[in-house]
Amino acid sequence: MKAMDMGNRVSLAGALMALALATPALATPASAQDAKIDKNIDMAGAEARAAATVAKMSPEEKAAITHGIMALPFGPGVTLPAGAIIGAGYVPGVPRLDIPALTETDASLGVAYVGGLRHDGATGLPSGLAQAATWNPDVLRAGGAMIGSEARAKGFNVLLAGGANLMRDPRNGRTFEYLSEDPLLTGTLVGAAINGIQSNHIISTIKHFALNGQETARKEVDSRISEAAARESDLLAFQIGIEKGQPGSVMCAYNLVNGDHACDSDWLLNTVLKKDWGWKGFVMSDWGAVPGLQTALHGLDQQSGAQLDRKVYFDKPLLEAAAKDKTYAARLDDMARRVLTAIYASGIDVNPVKPGGTIDFKANSEVALETARQGIVLLRNRGNALPLAKTAKSIVVIGGGANTGVLSGGGSSQVQSEGGPSGMVSLGGDSPFAALMAENYQRSVPLKEIKSMAPGAKVAFRDGFTVSEAAEQARRADVAIVFATKWSTEGIDQADLSLPRGQDALIEAVAAANPNTIVVLETGNPVAMPWLDKTAAVIEAWYPGTRGADAITGVLFGETNPSGRLPVTFPASENQLPRKKIDGFAEYEANFIGEVPEARGKLKADYDIEGSDVGYRWFARKGATALFPFGFGLSYTSYASSGLRVNGLKASFTVANTGQRLGAEVAQLYLVSRAGKPIRRLVGFQRVPLAAGAKQAVNLAIDPRLLADWSDKGWTMPAGTYGFALGTDAEHVGPAVTVRFAARHWKG
Ligand code: BGC
């Protein structure tokens, strides 16, 4: 790799070298952004084989593979069948025809911990936002491949990974699981993750289809949006992700879309997904998202997590309907064919998974570490306060459980290494899922890493509960490092963008006591920073995963040159958002597993307010200035991009490292005007590692859907002049290059 030839002593090169050895996927050149999509998945061949098997199946056998249970040892009348593994779900196979059972686990961030019911440990990647902040599909592919290999070793052959919902509201409790607010970034990255997972010959899932934008009354809320806006935003993210990743399954969402349950939406499942996109795999429901038998006619192929629905519709009721009604009979065949297509395309029948495989946790933790390194975003660095000198004499570390571990997000995606969390803050309650409803800290301890990085320094720790005490310690130290956390979880949205438990006041007081105050954020969502101007430096470390503390410390002390860029806008205040509050947040109580019947039919999320202008596009439309814009991130070196040329749908330019250190720039190409009107859309990006003084030519292909609007059952590009510009983020773009396009319309 070029950077290493330069003999640069910055150990990012060392880290990349180590990683290149450990995970070949990351050693490939950045220019190969999409080159490694696995074209070997043969959906058409699998479909033909599936049709032949269906012809041999009895109706009961067909029905058996269209519904599954939640693979947990409780619930009315549930005993786990032999072969089921504790995890998210289980669907029996048909041994007579060599159809394997489906063993399902949550897996967006690693093989899930199931609220403490699994004790075998797994490698936890940083949160989805952290992964996306790398803007590096190779990192997501390597992460997916790693998770898939651990899942195989534990006996799982279907992963419920691939969260692709756009961040329509930063207060959504599941923001940390998802990737970004942009369809190109999300689609490209989720496709790479799925591709990595499925390289293990197992099935991956993309979820939650679609428009699952909030957790408040998540089973009742109706997402209202015009078809055009949906196609240009959330659906486009899924479309790109499916094209690139070719997942065997799609999980439909809890929420309603324009009046129909997502799992009962003929438009979403039959028209968009299966007809327009020509996708051949199977649609599984989210756990407890099936309103009735008719969902079979509207495109649902498999009912999941039976204990959570009112009834198992896809066994007896489906068989009875199929016996009487040809439409249901044809659907039953199609449902079984689609499940089998995914099984054969992934090869889980010929490469069966077996529990009890060995896992090299040390090697896998390198993947988590490199993801965290590339995903940490340096937000502020006054007077080059960072990197810290290893010769600092006294450091006080304050707050955030930095003496315990690093925070992780709650809910079904939760991952823990062997031994479980290093610390928990329970929300209480007597639900069997109580462990899911607790702040869980992963076993990677910032205080310990800081001590080993600065062996000559006196390093003190204060928990930050008493502000005056923390400020006093800060006054006595050369440097104060405040760890500030904000927990988020599936099932509960956030009231606002502030840091909880008085941490804003804590930071304010510490920064007043010591101007050399560094803030390390561990948050699952964007947060407001009323104290920003008083601090020396701020890094957003997200939920940084199994090796999070190493990654944070590496950035603090300059072993890693930060290269993450925000995949979401950090608003200056809630007033800048399309909605004052999450819809229904004040009216309905947070409810993780259960239902909120009083919200049914009443609660609507009006996504036509912003339409397809999600995130930075909304800010551009409103002329609003974010606290930190989408795409933003500082570095310990500097970059310059030049020579932009756009020829039809091809763009080329040069990126140079104009500073003194090895680093990686994330080149961002935006559409800035179209047919005489301002517009802002990310149309291409590439992460470019560069040694000090080096430059690299970058070529990007522009997906024409990003230049178009949805109208008349297809994509339409108006005739006229299109302006393109390189940006350091969505708000700061360089001079525009213009290109004329003729009017164009094509089917979606
Ligand atoms: C979540 C899904 C998850 C499923 C199985 C649901 O509550 O919404 O993302 O895959 O549970 O655990």
Side-chain angles (χ1 to χ4, degrees), residues 33 640-646 650-656 665-670 683-688 695-702 724-727 737:
Q33 185 170 300
S641 299
S642 58
L644 174 62
R645 296 170 68 145
V646 182
K650 292 200 176 96
S652 61
F653 52 92
T654 302
V655 182
E665 167 69 314
V666 174
Q668 302 163 42
L669 181 66
Y670 291 92
V683 297
F685 66 91
Q686 189 163 303
R687 184 176 186 277
V688 190
K695 40 178 151 169
Q696 189 183 311
V698 177
N699 296 298
L700 295 175
I702 300 170
F724 297 90
L726 293 167
V737 165

Side-chain angles (χ1 to χ4, degrees), residues 88 106 160 174 177 207-208 212 218 251 254 286-287 308 412 490 592-593:
D106 281 295
L160 316 176
R174 282 187 106 166
E177 279 185 61
K207 67 187 189 183
H208 308 90
N212 191 179
R218 63 180 177 167
M251 184 191 291
Y254 281 131
D286 200 340
W287 271 228
L308 295 178
S412 57
E490 179 180 343
F592 179 52
I593 292 288

Side-chain angles (χ1 to χ4, degrees), residues 163-219:
N165 297 98
L166 293 191
M167 189 190 81
R168 281 188 173 263
D169 195 304
R171 297 160 297 194
N172 174 6
R174 282 187 106 166
T175 299
F176 77 94
E177 279 185 61
Y178 301 138
L179 295 167
S180 88
E181 62 192 25
D182 179 78
L184 175 66
L185 187 57
T186 290
T188 305
L189 297 182
V190 79
I194 291 167
N195 194 242
I197 290 172
Q198 295 196 152
S199 68
N200 291 281
H201 296 294
I202 53 183
I203 295 172
S204 189
T205 309
I206 193 168
K207 67 187 189 183
H208 308 90
F209 194 66
L211 293 143
N212 191 179
Q214 64 175 63
E215 291 298 284
T216 301
R218 63 180 177 167
K219 292 185 178 172

